[in-house]
Amino acid sequence: MRRRLVLSLGLCFSALAIPKPAMAQPSGQLDGGTFEHFLAGGFAGTETFAVRRRGQDLVAVGRVTREGGPEALRAVEVGMRVEESGRPLRYELHTREGPALHVVVNRTGSRLRVTTTADEGERFTEFLAGERLLIVEREIAHHYYSLARLLRRSAEPRSVQVEALIPSEGRTQEVRVRGLSRDTLTVENARLPATRYDMTVGSEQTTLWTATDDGRVLRVAIPSRQWHAVRVLRP
C-alpha cells in the first residue's frame, strides 16, 4: 500500500555521516534553514534542513514536524548523499512517530535498490540510476534543492528531462516544466524577486519558486494536496 507523507523529523544518519542541521551556515554548508508547512490553508508544522558538500558529493539532512490526520506519518527523519549533479548515492527515511516506515536507497553500479520496511513487511524494488534521476519526497521542501539547481543551470528549463524517484511510494514520476516566469514572492512581509516554475510530477501539478539572486528554494506548492511550504527568513 502506498503512503502519502505528512511529516515530522529528527535524526543523524551515521551511515551517511550527516551532522544535525544548524541555524547558522558554517563553512562547507551550501544551504540550510527552515520551511513552514501549510495544509488546507492552516499552519501544519516546520521543516529544518542543511545541505553540505562532502568531498565531491552533496549531503542533505532534514527534520520535519507536521500535524496530520489519523493516517498521517508524523515523525520522519530523512538524509541523502548525492553526486554534484543530484544523482543519488544513498538515501534513508525513518519514521519516529505514527505508522512505522523505514526506507533505504542504495546505488550499486547502474541500479538503485530500494528497501522498504513497514507494518506490512519488507519490500524490495530496483530502478535504473539514470543521469537525470533525482530523489524527491513530494512534501519535503528541501528535496527540491537538486531540481532547482538543475533548472537554474539550464538555458531552457522547459526542455529539461528529469525523473523523480519517490522512495516512500516506491515509484518514479516524470517531471516536466510547463511554464517559466518571473515573479515576486512575499515572505514574512519581504518582497523577493523569484523565478516561478510551473511543472507536473506525473500528473500532479506542482509549483516551485526559487530566489532570483542565488537560486534558493523559497516556496513549493502542490494544489491538489492543498499543501505548500514557505522558507522562513528570520535567523
Side-chain angles (χ1 to χ4, degrees), residues 104-175:
V104 176
V105 180
N106 280 306
R107 194 175 95 194
T108 303
S110 62
R111 308 291 296 181
L112 284 172
R113 182 178 176 86
V114 182
T115 304
T116 304
T117 306
D119 291 337
E120 299 86 356
E122 197 168 52
R123 184 179 75 238
F124 302 95
T125 52
E126 284 195 355
F127 300 90
L128 183 66
E131 293 293 335
R132 292 297 187 178
L133 182 70
L134 305 176
I135 287 179
V136 181
E137 292 288 359
R138 299 286 283 117
E139 294 180 26
I140 300 182
H142 78 272
H143 275 194
Y144 292 81
Y145 176 85
S146 291
L147 177 59
R149 293 182 85 211
L150 182 64
L151 296 177
R152 180 178 172 83
R153 293 175 177 179
S154 173
E156 178 45 75
R158 280 167 289 209
S159 67
V160 172
Q161 296 181 343
V162 180
E163 196 170 13
L165 170 61
I166 309 169
S168 65
E169 299 179 7
R171 61 173 176 165
T172 59
Q173 294 280 353
E174 183 183 24
V175 180

Side-chain angles (χ1 to χ4, degrees), residues 7-9 37 46-48 62-66 74-76 140:
L7 307 166
S8 164
L9 287 113
H37 287 219
T46 59
E47 170 185 342
T48 58
R63 301 185 183 129
V64 183
T65 301
R66 285 279 303 275
R74 299 179 183 177
V76 181
I140 300 182

Side-chain angles (χ1 to χ4, degrees), residues 204-226:
E204 200 166 37
Q205 180 182 344
T206 303
T207 305
L208 170 67
W209 287 263
T210 64
T212 300
D213 57 352
D214 58 10
R216 291 178 302 157
V217 174
L218 296 177
R219 189 175 191 266
V220 186
I222 307 176
S224 63
R225 302 187 184 193
Q226 297 185 291

Side-chain angles (χ1 to χ4, degrees), residues 193-206:
T195 302
R196 171 176 172 154
Y197 300 95
D198 292 297
M199 63 185 75
T200 52
V201 180
S203 60
E204 200 166 37
Q205 180 182 344
T206 303

